[in-house]
Amino acid sequence: MKVINLISGPRNLSTALMYSFAQREDMTVLDEPFYGYYLQNASLEIEHPSQKEILQTMELNEEKVIENINSLRKQKNVFVKGMAHHYLTDSPNFILNWENVILIRHPKKLIASFSKVIHTPTLNDIGIKKASELFLFLKKNGKTPIVIDSDELLKNPRNYLKKLCNLLEIPFSEKMLRWKKGGIPEDGVWAKHWYKNVHNSEGFAVQKSSSQPLPNHLEPLLEEALPYYEILKSNILI
């Protein structure tokens, strides 16, 4: 059985992709299992929504999280939805045994959307720097990840998911294109802060937030993020 490890930034269709894979009978999905570990150990400049609840309810030991994921794969394929910046080490060797997929979105759209919940995000908060570092780490170790782009996915979800499934060597399922409104049992406790759009959806769709303007005070963050985006951009699956 496979562990399909989605490495993403926030506000980037990662939850919709988790919902997509959750429709498959051969797949167990996990929602950001390293989030508690990250909050416990990272040097944070801001408090995250539901932070105390996350720390009280999630496994905080990274090794135990990894053990749980590898245990689940004995019964089914496992889809791990995770944030790039939740990996605090420069060399997370345990992901070398997984099928890694890096999901990116143009930083301007990502930052504009993210700032609606956390108003003054930093480069570390949006994950693009860490995603580029993880790409280079995986490539160096002969495990170049698949890079997918949320805008490319939305152009034709069926065709794009077929391409992704082909690269992952799993059969595509039409069930991946639709889900019921509302949440799924696997949603993290933070869903009430972040998942409104996907809870109101029944499939992949362009959100109104995709065209919202970038606040002026976040222009420097965009300039800081763009070089890391460019590292990944040339590797996007199209």
Side-chain angles (χ1 to χ4, degrees):
M1 300 294 179
K2 298 176 182 289
V3 175
I4 299 169
N5 185 40
L6 184 72
I7 300 168
S8 181
R11 315 307 283 169
N12 196 16
L13 282 187
S14 59
T15 305
L17 264 177
M18 178 178 72
Y19 277 40
S20 174
F21 276 83
Q23 308 312 306
R24 301 177 59 108
E25 296 176 356
D26 63 348
M27 199 73 59
T28 297
V29 302
L30 298 175
D31 193 6
E32 301 183 31
F34 296 99
Y35 198 1
Y37 159 77
Y38 167 75
L39 291 177
Q40 176 83 349
N41 295 282
S43 299
L44 300 175
E45 298 179 23
I46 52 176
E47 182 168 332
H48 286 227
S50 293
Q51 181 165 322
K52 291 180 181 178
E53 187 179 2
I54 294 167
L55 289 169
Q56 290 170 353
T57 58
M58 293 191 75
E59 176 58 62
L60 306 181
N61 183 290
E62 184 185 44
E63 290 186 3
K64 289 183 178 179
V65 175
I66 297 165
E67 287 175 9
N68 180 54
I69 294 169
N70 288 327
S71 176
L72 288 171
R73 79 186 297 184
K74 296 175 182 177
Q75 294 131 30
K76 278 187 177 184
N77 294 314
V78 181
F79 179 89
V80 179
K81 173 215 163 187
M83 297 291 107
H85 48 292
H86 290 177
Y87 296 93
L88 297 179
T89 176
D90 293 332
S91 303
N93 290 317
F94 60 90
I95 68 173
L96 295 174
N97 297 318
W98 298 348
E99 302 287 337
N100 296 287
V101 180
I102 296 181
L103 172 64
I104 64 172
R105 184 187 191 190
H106 194 284
K108 184 175 183 179
K109 296 179 180 179
L110 187 160
I111 295 167
S113 179
F114 190 78
S115 67
K116 296 297 181 183
V117 179
I118 294 180
H119 302 297
T120 55
T122 67
L123 185 63
N124 288 335
D125 293 321
I126 62 172
I128 189 68
K129 179 176 184 288
K130 190 65 178 185
S132 69
E133 291 170 350
L134 289 171
F135 174 84
L136 295 173
F137 164 75
L138 287 163
K139 185 176 181 179
K140 178 182 177 181
N141 283 277
K143 298 287 185 177
T144 302
I146 302 165
V147 179
I148 59 175
D149 177 86
S150 58
D151 288 336
E152 291 294 329
L153 170 61
L154 290 174
K155 288 177 183 178
N156 191 324
R158 177 181 281 103
N159 285 351
Y160 207 69
L161 288 172
K162 281 183 177 180
K163 291 179 182 179
L164 176 59
C165 288
N166 183 55
L167 289 172
L168 291 169
E169 299 182 342
I170 59 173
F172 169 74
S173 170
E174 290 286 337
K175 293 180 180 179
M176 298 175 72
L177 298 171
R178 307 289 294 176
W179 50 82
K180 294 180 180 179
K181 283 189 177 183
I184 60 175
E186 295 87 354
D187 280 349
V189 299
W190 51 89
K192 56 183 174 285
H193 303 287
W194 300 100
Y195 294 1
K196 180 180 178 181
N197 286 341
V198 76
H199 283 175
N200 288 329
S201 71
E202 295 179 298
F204 292 100
V206 177
Q207 302 296 332
K208 292 179 180 178
S209 61
S210 294
S211 58
Q212 63 192 12
L214 182 72
N216 290 336
H217 74 279
L218 293 175
E219 288 286 350
L221 176 58
L222 174 60
E223 292 302 313
E224 198 177 4
L226 281 173
Y228 300 105
Y229 173 74
E230 291 297 327
I231 291 173
L232 296 165
K233 183 180 177 182
S234 61
N235 294 278
I236 293 171
L237 173 67
I238 56 173

